Amino acid sequence: MSVPTPTAPAGASRVGPGRVGRYEVVVVGAGFAGLAAAMALREAGIDDVLLVERAASVGGTWRDNTYPGVACDIPSHLYGFAAHPNPDWSGVYATGPEIREYLETVAVVEGIIPRLNSPLTDAWWDDEWETWRLRVGGPGPVDVSADALVLACGRLTEPRIPDVPGLEGFTGPVFHSSRWRHDVDLDGARVAVVGTGASAVQLVPELARTARVTLFQRSPAWIVPRGARAYTDAERDRFRLHPSELADLRAQLFAEGEERFASRSGDAAASAAARDIALAHLRDQIPDPALRARLTPDYAFGCKRVLLSDEFYPALASGAVTLEASALAAVDDGALVAASGARHDVDAIVFATGFASTRQPYADLVRGEHGTLAQHWSRGMTSFASTVVSGFPNLFVLDGPNASLGHNSSVLMIEEQAAYLARTLANRFDSDRDGVLRVDPRAERAYTAEIDRAAASTPWITGGCRNWYVDDRSGRLTLLWPGTVTAFRERLARADGSEFLLPLQREVA
Ligand code: NAP
């Protein structure tokens, strides 16, 4: 995306690192969610906002993930902010670097200047002054206070590396897919890739071009065709010249995404049809029946994220990848030992083993009226509207509890949450309120019960398949929103402020 001349709206300079001290709102994290929050707040007239980011640049997951082949499996024209359509996407699916550049451009265009290299290290609710007190680390640690705190820290940020006995004795490079070691030359090397999720199916075909890959597969994934292709110059010109065409395309992609919900959530006919597509894809791309059998999932379609790839199976069929169809169980005397008992000698290990999604590190840092978020969430994340949490006044969590999707663009969810955040904060003094938004615990319990009811018969929690949407402490679906984006939009539209206690109710609840 080309970087246009910044035209910062009025007040934009205050959405930045300018002064230290008191702000109306502090937003933590400058990925999709943090930028969406800053934009929505400004739209609602709230521009006294400090955006802090622990890294050296904006971009969130698209800054951190630089593995070979990193890309998005949601169509590019749906994977962006509604207010910032990008006619210049290179193809139907954008690459990781392109998305990162897009986010950097949006920040420039919007005049959003985060305070970089500034991790939140502590946050507590000061009940006497009814304010958030925050400590922000970095080169010059500062104390900041704010009426409201927005956690936009992401949900797939903390690498999860399995506890593999003997791993510490492995002498070669070991790293996680989201912390790619570009200083390590893997050309011609024997590389173990552990895991077969969305990251692995993108990086394995790329890595296999130059390295000798052994892939540890604990569970095969359901994989459907991706159909990637580059846009032509003519198409990009048309998108640029006819914004309405771009808007129509986004609407069409949105509708197609919403339709996918049925197959991901357990609708029998839709799941069977999608499963047939995946099995046909496997048959078409893997001629060897024995290999095919090892790549065929034995769990319900949709339980784990359904993957899109046209390159993964061919890489395996070509013989460039050795498939070890069991988990990495141990490292012994320099060799990798699979659960099957097989031993593999390799020079490097890449863990494509996902993220600590259900236990977010920020939860330990944030103290509300009765303890930390981690304590409140000791049996798994809960909220009202997937965004606000009882015991944590004027706190908003974006992309946290029950805000992920398996069927459509997560940016859409983030934008809904950002809109809820902005309107709720803007109205916090309405109707005899005192500006402090305390979630009624009964509203949070009722919302949690709604989630549980909607999730009850879905493949995400039935059938015994393991996925990162479920908290193993409770068996509850705590990451995924168990509905369509439209249903989420409608649910948030029904939030009329009664989810918050009136000042006098505080003692009653
Ligand atoms: P993931 O989906 O959580 O996959 C982790 C993989 O590691 C799973 O296959 C898991 O097996 C495996 N694993 C864990 N321990 C293992 C062991 N000891 N031996 C062998 N395998 C082991 O992680 P991810 O691929 O990084 O993706 C995480 C999420 O990031 C995705 O679901 C998606 O939402 C997002 N993402 C999106 C894109 C995109 O294009 N939009 C791209 C990449 C990532 P089990 O299945 O048996 O647990």
Side-chain angles (χ1 to χ4, degrees):
M1 186 187 188
S2 52
V3 182
T5 313
T7 48
S13 61
R14 302 185 76 187
V15 186
R19 67 194 152 79
V20 165
R22 174 147 195 86
Y23 292 83
E24 192 169 351
V25 185
V26 169
V27 178
V28 184
F32 262 111
L35 296 180
M39 289 190 282
L41 288 167
R42 182 189 295 143
E43 186 78 20
I46 300 172
D47 59 11
D48 185 21
V49 178
L50 174 69
L51 179 54
V52 295
E53 164 57 52
R54 66 180 172 179
S57 60
V58 305
T61 194
W62 299 105
R63 175 202 57 231
D64 293 343
N65 282 275
T66 61
Y67 57 77
V70 60
C72 189
D73 59 12
I74 297 292
S76 46
H77 285 293
L78 193 59
Y79 199 76
F81 298 115
H84 290 277
N86 174 19
D88 297 325
W89 291 122
S90 63
V92 172
Y93 297 99
T95 66
E98 260 186 295
I99 301 172
R100 178 182 180 180
E101 190 189 338
Y102 169 80
L103 291 170
E104 285 172 347
T105 303
V106 167
V108 170
V109 170
E110 289 281 342
I112 296 170
I113 307 165
R115 186 184 168 94
L116 299 171
N117 301 306
S118 301
L120 178 75
T121 56
D122 207 357
W124 67 101
W125 173 252
D126 179 338
D127 213 28
E128 186 181 348
W129 292 92
E130 299 191 320
T131 193
W132 280 99
R133 307 250 178 229
L134 314 170
R135 185 148 293 172
V136 177
V142 290
D143 290 335
V144 173
S145 63
D147 289 358
L149 173 61
V150 179
L151 299 172
C153 308
R155 67 199 186 293
L156 300 170
T157 57
E158 302 306 315
R160 186 182 51 196
I161 296 206
D163 196 8
V164 179
L167 181 61
E168 64 290 345
F170 186 79
T171 52
V174 177
F175 53 91
H176 188 267
S177 55
S178 68
R179 302 288 183 271
W180 198 263
R181 290 269 309 272
H182 293 279
D183 60 319
V184 175
D185 182 5
L186 295 175
D187 279 7
R190 298 167 303 172
V191 184
V193 175
V194 186
T196 45
S199 303
V201 297
Q202 292 182 346
L203 73 87
V204 163
E206 287 300 314
L207 202 56
R209 290 181 204 282
T210 55
R212 291 142 68 195
V213 176
T214 298
L215 178 62
F216 286 80
Q217 170 192 269
R218 186 164 66 186
S219 325
W222 285 109
I223 303 179
V224 294
R226 186 160 180 253
R229 71 167 183 90
Y231 284 124
T232 62
D233 287 344
E235 282 174 302
R236 276 193 292 270
D237 286 348
R238 224 176 51 233
F239 290 147
R240 210 171 296 118
L241 291 172
H242 306 287
S244 65
E245 273 195 37
L246 209 48
D248 290 348
L249 176 58
R250 186 175 165 102
Q252 179 199 325
L253 293 169
F254 173 75
E256 288 169 6
E258 292 292 74
E259 266 176 40
R260 273 194 298 274
F261 178 73
S263 65
R264 305 306 192 258
S265 59
D267 175 90
S271 304
R275 192 170 170 275
D276 286 348
I277 291 171
L279 289 173
H281 188 47
L282 178 62
R283 252 190 333 268
D284 289 349
Q285 293 201 317
I286 303 282
D288 173 5
L291 180 57
R292 208 156 60 218
R294 297 158 82 209
L295 290 167
T296 305
D298 63 356
Y299 57 86
F301 191 88
C303 167
K304 297 174 192 284
R305 187 181 173 92
V306 174
L307 308 183
L308 281 71
S309 178
D310 296 328
E311 279 97 30
F312 179 69
Y313 288 147
L316 272 86
S318 74
V321 177
T322 301
L323 179 66
E324 169 53 62
S326 74
L328 172 61
V331 177
D332 175 42
D333 200 18
L336 273 54
V337 185
S340 67
R343 295 172 73 88
H344 300 272
D345 290 316
V346 299
D347 304 308
I349 306 174
V350 173
F351 281 101
T353 41
F355 301 88
S357 53
T358 52
R359 300 178 204 206
Q360 294 295 340
Y362 61 72
D364 287 312
L365 305 177
V366 178
R367 276 175 288 147
E369 291 178 308
H370 316 295
T372 64
L373 256 184
Q375 287 165 334
H376 184 71
W377 287 345
S378 63
R379 299 267 302 144
M381 297 190 288
T382 53
S383 69
F384 176 83
S386 301
T387 311
V388 289
V389 186
S390 65
F392 297 82
N394 292 2
L395 175 77
F396 297 81
V397 187
L398 303 191
D399 217 0
N402 298 108
S404 299
L405 292 182
H407 73 286
N408 211 338
S409 170
S410 56
V411 180
L412 301 163
M413 297 291 281
I414 286 170
E415 290 195 307
E416 293 302 325
Q417 290 188 285
Y420 172 77
L421 150 77
R423 82 173 146 90
T424 305
L425 266 187
N427 297 336
R428 70 190 186 278
F429 292 104
D430 287 2
S431 319
D432 295 333
R433 294 191 178 274
D434 59 0
V436 180
L437 299 166
R438 289 189 169 85
V439 178
D440 187 333
R442 291 164 296 194
E444 182 169 320
R445 283 196 294 273
Y447 186 82
T448 304
E450 276 176 45
I451 299 275
D452 289 350
R453 272 195 303 278
S457 58
T458 63
W460 306 310
I461 57 169
T462 58
C465 131
R466 175 176 22 198
N467 60 49
W468 60 260
Y469 307 142
V470 169
D471 195 303
D472 56 12
R473 293 168 293 185
S474 59
R476 287 195 53 251
L477 186 77
T478 58
L479 263 296
L480 209 65
W481 163 251
T484 59
V485 177
T486 308
F488 189 63
R489 194 171 283 161
E490 288 169 359
R491 183 64 191 87
L492 264 52
R494 279 193 282 124
D496 57 3
S498 59
E499 66 269 33
F500 299 109
L501 297 166
L502 290 169
L504 288 176
Q505 285 179 304
R506 185 183 167 190
E507 304 309 323
V508 181

